[in-house]
Amino acid sequence: MAEETIFSKIIRREIATELLYQDELVTAFRDIHPRAPTHILIVPNVLIPTVNDVEPQHEAALGRMFTVARKLAADAGISEKGYRLIMNCNSHGGQEVYHIHMHLVGGQPLGPMLAR
Ligand code: 5GP
């Protein structure tokens, strides 16, 4: 069994965090250290530590992450100008929390995709 992270406690509402969205598959909340005016994390309710651990049975939750990203981007008023969806994997990807999550960032020009 993979070790739980703080995100499991947020999903189970054991830690006071404003949830922007929750259903049977995914949960979304604001990043505690926002890197842009809009910075939301969209998380599958099931613990999947990294993208390397993704299996076919996770496809419904992973697909839901995109439809929720679309909705939350619209709610934040950033759909037309655009935004970025980011998923980091392991150390070279800069992953800090080992419960996969999609970053939805926007609200300002985000610059080049990678630092040069
Ligand atoms: P990663 O680097 O793993 O892709 O991103 C993890 C993100 O989770 C970071 O942007 C970090 O600020 C955020 N984060 C870490 N702990 C917490 C927390 O307890 N609450 C919230 N809302 N965000 C967190």
Side-chain angles (χ1 to χ4, degrees):
M1 275 290 278
E3 202 171 318
E4 280 193 355
T5 74
I6 191 90
F7 289 179
S8 289
K9 291 188 169 62
I10 293 172
I11 291 162
R12 291 197 299 264
R13 303 177 187 222
E14 292 169 9
I15 289 181
T17 301
E18 182 195 359
L19 300 185
L20 301 179
Y21 182 89
Q22 187 168 51
D23 64 19
E24 78 284 8
L25 292 176
V26 306
T27 299
F29 48 90
R30 291 188 199 287
D31 196 291
I32 202 167
H33 297 305
R35 273 41 159 237
T38 296
H39 188 170
I40 295 168
L41 301 175
I42 304 163
V43 179
N45 293 342
V46 64
L47 170 53
I48 307 168
T50 80
V51 174
N52 293 334
D53 302 300
V54 163
E55 301 284 355
Q57 69 262 28
H58 300 136
E59 286 172 3
L62 297 169
R64 185 70 56 83
M65 289 163 74
F66 279 91
T67 51
V68 170
R70 176 194 169 186
K71 171 193 161 22
L72 293 176
D75 291 349
I78 61 173
S79 299
E80 196 173 323
K81 288 203 167 164
Y83 49 89
R84 190 169 289 157
L85 301 176
I86 303 167
M87 294 185 76
N88 296 320
C89 181
N90 277 342
S91 59
H92 280 198
Q95 186 173 3
E96 294 171 4
V97 178
Y98 282 78
H99 181 142
I100 64 167
H101 46 280
M102 177 186 280
H103 298 255
L104 163 60
V105 286
Q108 65 183 30
L110 296 170
M113 185 175 67
L114 295 173
R116 299 213 166 92

